[in-house]
Amino acid sequence: MTATTLLLVRHGETAWNAEHRIQGHLDIPLSPSGIQQATRLAKRLAGTPIDAIYSSELARAWLTAEPLAARVGVPIVAETRLRERSFGIFEGLTLDEIATRHPDGFRRWREREPSWAIDGGESGQQLIDRVLAALHDIVTRHRGGTVVAVTHGGVLDVVYRTARQLPWSAPREHQMLNAGVNLLSAQT
């Protein structure tokens, strides 16, 4: 078996992160703080041998990956399957607004029913399936290498739960920090 190292990074902060506003597939850029986080990320990983950099094509992830790619001289590969979950009618709303405007949907989302899809969005199972397929393909392409994947909190939640063998319905007890680096060794 060959180990592939995955450095999974959540995008830098956006103004909407600070407001606890759901972004989903909406293309929100980094805040000034997020730009600083991306710069610090590039400095932190500068000495790491990196074979490939993948990113969600959404601006907040792509702009987080750019300083690292420039610093280490590795191009960014767009991978749409690393996008955040499509939150449909929840996108653009704060948690309080969702709870008030869509109480049944908010409850079902918080209960984490894998088969339930947000109106206009995707189900938890659809998210899980696409994320795991993307990571499988990336690991297969770069067997034995080190790969950075810049992505979103929901994607990292899927990876964390899968690696820890936690059910989708379990309450989230782990943090997904902006510009945080998560190390995963995948055996192939």
Side-chain angles (χ1 to χ4, degrees):
M1 292 190 115
T2 303
T4 302
T5 301
L6 292 173
L7 299 173
L8 303 165
V9 178
R10 183 178 179 204
H11 63 79
E13 184 184 70
T14 69
W16 283 21
N17 289 138
E19 297 171 6
H20 303 286
R21 191 171 296 281
I22 299 298
Q23 299 171 103
H25 282 191
L26 295 178
D27 207 8
I28 309 303
L30 295 177
S31 66
S33 175
I35 293 168
Q36 290 176 350
Q37 290 170 336
T39 301
R40 287 194 305 267
L41 173 74
K43 288 178 186 173
R44 179 175 176 208
L45 295 179
T48 304
I50 296 171
D51 298 297
I53 300 173
Y54 286 82
S55 178
S56 156
E57 83 288 6
L58 295 175
R60 57 193 184 271
W62 196 268
L63 293 170
T64 302
E66 279 184 335
L68 175 62
R71 186 149 191 151
V72 300
V74 175
I76 305 169
V77 178
E79 175 53 79
T80 59
R81 295 175 296 173
L82 293 177
R83 270 185 169 205
E84 180 60 275
R85 181 179 182 175
S86 173
F87 282 98
I89 61 171
F90 292 176
E91 291 183 4
L93 302 178
T94 65
L95 298 178
D96 288 341
E97 289 169 340
I98 295 167
T100 300
R101 295 181 194 178
H102 308 285
D104 184 57
F106 184 77
R107 177 189 56 77
R108 294 186 76 187
W109 175 38
R110 291 305 201 192
E111 289 174 356
R112 303 183 62 83
E113 299 173 32
S115 62
W116 178 75
I118 300 162
D119 288 346
E122 66 186 320
S123 71
Q125 193 61 55
Q126 289 170 312
L127 173 67
I128 293 165
D129 292 346
R130 77 170 159 83
V131 167
L132 295 181
L135 292 177
H136 176 269
D137 292 349
I138 290 168
V139 168
T140 299
R141 268 186 235 122
H142 301 283
R143 190 168 281 140
T146 298
V147 178
V148 174
V150 183
T151 187
H152 305 270
V155 171
L156 293 172
D157 187 42
V158 168
V159 174
Y160 183 85
R161 288 170 186 281
T162 301
R164 300 279 320 273
Q165 299 180 341
L166 296 173
W168 179 254
S169 60
R172 184 188 276 190
E173 296 178 351
H174 45 280
Q175 291 186 329
M176 300 294 166
L177 302 175
N178 289 108
V181 178
N182 303 274
L183 174 67
L184 183 67
S185 180
Q187 300 292 326
T188 55

